[in-house]
Amino acid sequence: MTGTKCWLTTKDFAVLEIMLERRRAFADPIVPMLADKLSKADVVPIDSVGPDIVTLNSRVVFRIDAGPAETRTLVQNEVRGPVGSSLSITTRRGLCMLGMAEGQTASIEQADGRRESILIAAVLYQPEAARRAVREKSQAEVRRPHRLTLVYSAAADWRPLGERCGMRQTEGDDDPGPTAA
């Protein structure tokens, strides 16, 4: 990757650090690219990452060189699902896109030595931004006054349950009802 600004959430940074440790043991060819990304990244808290930054599980529209726009969800590992719906960060393209901003372009070298340019056209969904939106909506609902309307008010002479009220006892012919046997 050449000359690209990169913003990683603390979580994404930790995922890449673990990935680097594991892949170094096997002399994986993606190790130099991974180490470069980690060394140049600006690490930001999850709650303050911009909504236009590609993070793990973001849905992204991108272009390779001058090719057609493609849409994928950036994932940590290949997932089961519709073929072509996800792109793993274990690939050069996926790793390159992680941390890029909408409108940003990066150049990467493929394993065969060929260079390609990746443009992030749009970030359609970012889990951190979606979480913030839900949290802000619930906080707004808490602050909004309830729209309750009083339809009945108890009389001023009400008595709490259990308090003796003036029941009248009658004697004589009045049928008291069934007796408890």
Side-chain angles (χ1 to χ4, degrees), residues 2-180:
T2 57
T4 58
K5 184 77 172 154
C6 175
W7 297 269
L8 294 174
T9 65
T10 50
K11 177 186 168 214
D12 294 350
F13 188 84
V15 166
L16 291 184
E17 277 186 321
I18 292 167
M19 191 171 136
L20 178 62
E21 286 177 29
R22 290 181 181 161
R23 291 182 177 261
R24 267 193 180 140
F26 299 106
D28 191 322
I30 204 168
V31 165
M33 188 176 170
L34 234 144
D36 185 56
K37 181 168 277 287
L38 287 169
S39 69
K40 294 179 180 174
D42 287 343
V43 181
V44 294
I46 291 174
D47 291 339
S48 62
V49 66
D52 62 336
I53 303 295
V54 179
T55 62
L56 272 172
N57 300 313
S58 291
R59 188 105 175 116
V60 181
V61 178
F62 63 96
R63 292 181 190 280
I64 304 297
D65 294 325
E70 299 178 46
T71 304
R72 300 279 187 280
T73 300
L74 204 63
V75 295
Q76 186 171 349
N77 298 313
E78 286 298 326
V79 292
R80 293 182 190 154
V83 174
S85 67
S86 63
L87 179 63
S88 175
I89 60 168
T90 60
T91 65
R92 291 176 186 269
R93 285 180 181 174
L95 181 59
C96 179
M97 285 187 222
L98 186 65
M100 288 178 64
E102 197 171 286
Q104 190 175 8
T105 302
S107 177
I108 60 169
E109 186 175 331
Q110 288 297 343
D112 61 4
R114 169 178 66 82
R115 294 202 72 75
E116 65 183 24
S117 177
I118 299 175
L119 165 70
I120 303 297
V123 178
L124 301 177
Y125 171 81
Q126 183 203 71
E128 293 81 4
R131 226 175 282 124
R132 272 194 306 271
V134 167
R135 193 175 327 125
E136 288 168 4
K137 182 180 176 189
S138 65
Q139 288 173 350
E141 289 173 357
V142 168
R143 285 181 287 213
R144 185 178 61 211
H146 296 285
R147 299 211 183 338
L148 299 177
T149 304
L150 181 63
V151 292
Y152 174 76
S153 182
D157 62 344
W158 67 276
R159 290 187 179 87
L161 287 176
E163 184 178 298
R164 232 178 139 186
C165 41
M167 285 188 65
R168 193 182 65 177
Q169 296 285 334
T170 59
E171 294 182 27
D173 294 356
D174 198 14
D175 182 17
T179 60

